Amino acid sequence: MFNEREHERFISPIELQRREYRRMKTVRSVLISCASFLVFSFLIWWILSRSEGWELVRKMYFDPKHLVASAPQVFKGILVNLKILGAALVGTAVLSTLLAITRTTKSAALFPLRLVSLLYTSIFRGLPMIVVLYLIGFGIPGLNIFGRIDKNLIGGICITLVYSAYVAEVLRAGIEAIHPSQRAAARSLGLSHTQTLRIVILPQAIRKVVPALMNDFVAMQKDVGLVSVVGAVDAVRQAGIYTAKTFNYSSYVFAGLMFICMSLPFVLLTDWYAAKVRRREQMEGAV
Amino acid sequence: MNPGAPVLQLAGIRKSFGPNQVLRGIDLTVHEHEVVAVIGASGSGKSTLMRAINLLERVDDGQIFLSGQDISDPRVKEDLVRAQIGVVFQHYNLFPHMTVLNNVTLASRVVRKLSREEAEARGMELLTRIGIAEKAKKYPDQLSGGQQQRVAIVRAILSDPILLLLDEITSALDPQLVGEVLDLVMELKLAGKTILMATHEMEFARRAADRVIFLHEGRIAEDGPPAQVLGNPQQQVTRDFLSRLYNFS
C-alpha cells in the first residue's frame, strides 16, 4: 500500500494536465455567467428606460423618499403580521396533527371523525383563502355570538383553518411512509396505540416531511398578508393607508420587501436542510 | 396466571388471508425453559404463526394460552400480553430516530414505568454483555446488521418476557454476521429462556433446539427432538424439504 503522504507527493503529468484543463473550464464558465448577467441586466434596463411610462412608474412605486417615509408605519404593521403568524403557526401545528392522526386511524368507531377530517381537508384545500377570509371574517362576527372579535384573531383563525388542511395532508403522507414493521415492533414491546403514534410513528413521520412543512411555512408567511381584508391593520393595510394619503404606491413595495426579508432566512434554511437530507441519503446509498 | 401451566399452548389455530389458508389447525405446547425451532418452506406459515401468538394477527379460530391465560379472548388487554412476549424480527425493526440505548430501554420506561436511570443501568448492563456498550449513544444505522440484530434481541429481553419469539432473525444478515447473533441466542438458551424461533439455519436448530417442528402447508407435519426431525425424519414431506435444502447448500 502507498504511504498516504507519499501518495500525495507524486502527481502524474496526466493528472496535472487534467487539473489544468478543469481549472480553465471553471474560469471560462465564471466569465460567461458574468457576461450574460451584464447583458441581461442591460437589456432589462434598456427596455424599462425606453418605455413611455417609466418615469411615472418609477415615481409611483420606487420613490426613495416615500419608501423611507412609509417605513415606520409599514414596519409597525409587519409586527402585527408576525404576531398573527406566530399564533397561526401554533394553531396549525395542533389542528393539522389532529386531522392527520384522525385520517390515518382504521377503527370502525372512528368513522365519523375520519369522514369529518376527510371533508375538512377536501373543502379547505379547495377554497381560495380570500373566500375563507370573507366568509369567516365577516360571517362569524355577523352571527353576533361572541360579541366583538379581534380582527387579528379572526385573521389568524382563517390562516390556521386553511393551512391546517394542507399541513395535515403532508403529515398524513409522512405517517403513511413509515413502514408498518415499525408499528409492529412498537406494539410488540407492549406500547399502546397512542404511545406508538406519539413516540415511534410521528417523530419519524415529521422528519420525513420537514422540507415540505418548511415550504408550507414560507407560503403561510406571505399569506398572512391577506388578513388585511378582514380589517386587521397589518403591513399591507398600513401601506394602503399611506397610499391613500399620498397617492404613492412605494409603501406597498416597501411592504413587499419586508415580507421577502421575513421569509428569506427561512427559504435559505429550507434549501440548506433539503440539501443536507439529500446528501445524507446519497451517503447511505454508498455505504 | 397459572404457574403450573405451560408457557405457551396453541389449540387448533387457524388463519386465512382471503382464500389462502395459511394456518390449518396448529396444536403446540411450549414448556418453560424449552427452545422450540419451527422450520418449513417460505409460505408454510411460520411468520404468521409468530405474529398470531403476539396478537399482531387475529386468528380465525382456535385458542392461544400464555401461562394458562387465553390471550385470544378479545376481552384480554393486548398491550399487557405483548409486554410479556419479546419479539425479534427478521429486519431488526429498530427505531431509527432513537439511540441504541433508547431503543433498548423504551419498553421499560414507557410500559413498565421504570425510572430512566434504572432502565438505562439495566440496558447498559446488557449492551456491555453483548460487547456493544460503546455504541449505546449511536443510532441504529451506524451499526452493522449483526450488531443491530443483537440490539433488537436485547430490546426484546430487557423487560424479562416469559416467552421470546424469534422470527427468522438471521435471514437478512450477511453470512459472516450470522454467527454473532446465533451465539447470543445460544447464551439465552443457557440462561433458561423460553424461546420459539422460526429459522432457516438447520445446523443451529440442531444445536440449540430442544424440539424441532416442521410446518408444511399450515399444519405441523412433524414434531420431535432435532436428531429425529432433522436426522431421521419420519414423514415423506420432511424428507423432501430437507433433501431440497441440502441439495442447494
Side-chain angles (χ1 to χ4, degrees):
Chain A
M1 285 301 280
F2 275 112
N3 177 320
E4 198 60 36
R5 198 171 284 157
E6 203 86 342
H7 192 68
E8 277 294 312
R9 206 182 299 156
F10 300 111
I11 299 165
S12 68
I14 292 271
E15 174 60 21
L16 285 175
Q17 270 174 34
R18 288 193 293 225
R19 287 183 189 181
E20 180 54 33
Y21 177 73
R22 288 194 200 108
R23 190 160 49 233
M24 234 172 61
K25 265 186 85 171
T26 313
V27 170
R28 222 168 67 123
S29 48
V30 168
L31 286 177
I32 289 175
S33 20
C34 289
S36 97
F37 177 76
L38 286 175
V39 168
F40 273 96
S41 309
F42 174 78
L43 266 176
I44 291 169
W45 171 81
W46 188 70
I47 292 170
L48 283 180
S49 63
R50 277 181 56 90
S51 65
E52 217 175 301
W54 171 239
E55 260 319 300
L56 186 63
V57 166
R58 205 178 55 78
K59 257 194 213 137
M60 288 300 280
Y61 289 91
F62 301 102
D63 191 330
K65 194 182 79 201
H66 285 292
L67 280 174
V68 173
S70 65
Q73 196 175 342
V74 174
F75 190 77
K76 216 167 69 189
I78 262 296
L79 295 180
V80 173
N81 286 104
L82 275 174
K83 214 168 69 182
I84 296 174
L85 178 66
L89 184 63
V90 175
T92 303
V94 174
L95 184 57
S96 62
T97 308
L98 288 177
L99 284 167
I101 289 172
T102 340
R103 283 212 61 188
T104 46
T105 54
K106 300 220 159 56
S107 102
L110 294 179
F111 174 74
L113 268 182
R114 209 151 49 231
L115 184 68
V116 166
S117 55
L118 172 70
L119 285 176
Y120 181 93
T121 48
S122 310
I123 290 171
F124 276 93
R125 280 185 303 161
L127 273 178
M129 177 72 96
I130 203 105
V131 173
V132 175
L133 281 164
Y134 276 121
L135 286 180
I136 305 230
F138 298 120
I140 301 288
L143 290 175
N144 221 348
I145 303 174
F146 309 102
R148 218 186 79 80
I149 309 174
D150 182 38
K151 302 279 192 249
N152 295 348
L153 180 68
I154 284 275
I157 287 173
C158 292
I159 303 273
T160 301
L161 287 175
V162 170
Y163 270 86
S164 292
Y166 285 100
V167 174
E169 287 303 287
V170 172
L171 285 178
R172 185 171 72 100
I175 290 173
E176 281 171 1
I178 303 301
H179 198 271
S181 64
Q182 286 287 312
R183 189 183 299 269
R187 295 310 296 269
S188 72
L189 284 173
L191 269 67
S192 69
H193 176 78
T194 321
Q195 287 168 333
T196 301
L197 203 57
R198 182 170 55 85
I199 302 170
V200 175
I201 306 294
L202 270 182
Q204 292 187 61
I206 290 172
R207 239 159 270 211
K208 268 191 200 296
V209 294
V210 159
L213 289 177
M214 287 164 107
N215 196 36
D216 275 345
F217 179 64
V218 171
M220 191 166 158
Q221 257 174 141
K222 100 195 132 61
D223 275 1
V224 166
L226 289 171
V227 297
S228 56
V229 305
V230 295
V233 189
D234 74 328
V236 177
R237 174 51 55 95
Q238 291 282 17
I241 294 170
Y242 185 86
T243 302
K245 277 192 306 210
T246 58
F247 302 108
N248 188 290
Y249 290 90
S250 300
S251 53
Y252 277 110
V253 172
F254 185 78
L257 286 174
M258 291 305 291
F259 274 100
I260 292 173
C261 289
M262 197 162 80
S263 69
L264 204 57
F266 223 78
V267 170
L268 295 176
L269 188 67
T270 309
D271 288 352
W272 170 80
Y273 185 80
K276 194 181 109 164
V277 169
R278 204 166 46 236
R279 260 203 313 279
R280 203 172 50 206
E281 273 168 6
Q282 278 165 359
M283 243 161 63
E284 266 168 28
V287 170
Chain B
M1 296 290 143
N2 182 349
V7 172
L8 178 72
Q9 196 172 8
L10 306 179
I13 295 300
R14 290 179 174 278
K15 176 72 188 177
S16 306
F17 294 106
N20 185 13
Q21 292 185 45
V22 182
L23 300 176
R24 310 176 180 215
I26 302 279
D27 298 295
L28 172 67
T29 304
V30 180
H31 294 280
E32 204 177 355
H33 309 311
E34 206 177 14
V35 175
V36 177
V38 182
I39 62 169
S42 302
S44 60
K46 300 190 297 289
S47 281
T48 307
L49 184 65
M50 295 285 173
R51 293 174 64 84
I53 294 168
N54 193 32
L55 305 182
L56 285 174
E57 214 69 78
R58 185 185 298 163
V59 295
D60 297 338
D61 202 354
Q63 282 177 293
I64 306 169
F65 297 93
L66 191 70
S67 294
Q69 186 198 11
D70 181 2
I71 58 169
S72 45
D73 186 330
R75 284 165 294 191
V76 159
K77 282 225 162 74
E78 295 183 353
D79 301 338
L80 294 181
V81 171
R82 292 201 188 100
Q84 293 178 282
I85 303 177
V87 187
V88 183
F89 301 88
Q90 182 176 353
H91 296 284
Y92 344 128
N93 298 6
L94 294 176
F95 305 126
H97 61 300
M98 294 183 192
T99 62
V100 164
L101 187 58
N102 279 341
N103 260 284
V104 163
T105 56
L106 178 66
S108 304
R109 288 184 281 119
V110 175
V111 182
R112 299 174 81 208
K113 312 277 182 208
L114 291 188
S115 73
R116 181 172 275 273
E117 293 74 37
E118 223 174 323
E120 291 193 343
R122 179 121 168 74
M124 283 310 294
E125 183 195 320
L126 283 178
L127 287 177
T128 310
R129 204 182 302 167
I130 64 167
I132 45 182
E134 79 278 10
K135 307 265 185 191
K137 299 284 178 215
K138 296 250 191 283
Y139 287 87
D141 62 0
Q142 296 168 296
L143 272 60
S144 76
Q147 289 171 330
Q148 289 191 47
Q149 192 57 296
R150 285 186 289 149
V151 170
I153 293 173
V154 167
R155 180 174 74 174
I157 62 171
L158 193 76
S159 41
D160 293 317
I162 56 177
L163 173 68
L164 201 54
L165 300 175
L166 311 180
D167 189 3
E168 297 193 23
I169 58 171
T170 55
S171 302
L173 293 176
D174 288 340
Q176 75 268 24
L177 300 176
V178 169
E180 60 188 61
V181 172
L182 294 183
D183 287 348
L184 178 56
V185 177
M186 202 66 189
E187 249 183 76
L188 296 178
K189 172 194 166 66
L190 296 176
K193 300 274 185 224
T194 311
I195 301 175
L196 181 66
M197 57 179 185
T199 185
H200 283 143
E201 301 282 332
M202 297 305 151
E203 254 332 290
F204 182 69
R206 194 194 298 272
R207 270 198 298 137
D210 301 308
R211 255 165 71 210
V212 174
I213 282 159
F214 176 58
L215 212 57
H216 181 68
E217 293 179 347
R219 289 194 183 88
I220 292 179
E222 194 152 351
D223 177 353
Q228 181 204 313
V229 177
L230 298 172
N232 180 24
Q234 308 293 303
Q235 304 290 328
Q236 187 58 41
V237 282
T238 321
R239 278 196 287 275
D240 289 347
F241 171 73
L242 290 173
S243 69
R244 269 201 304 280
L245 203 71
Y246 287 120
N247 282 346
F248 277 115
S249 60

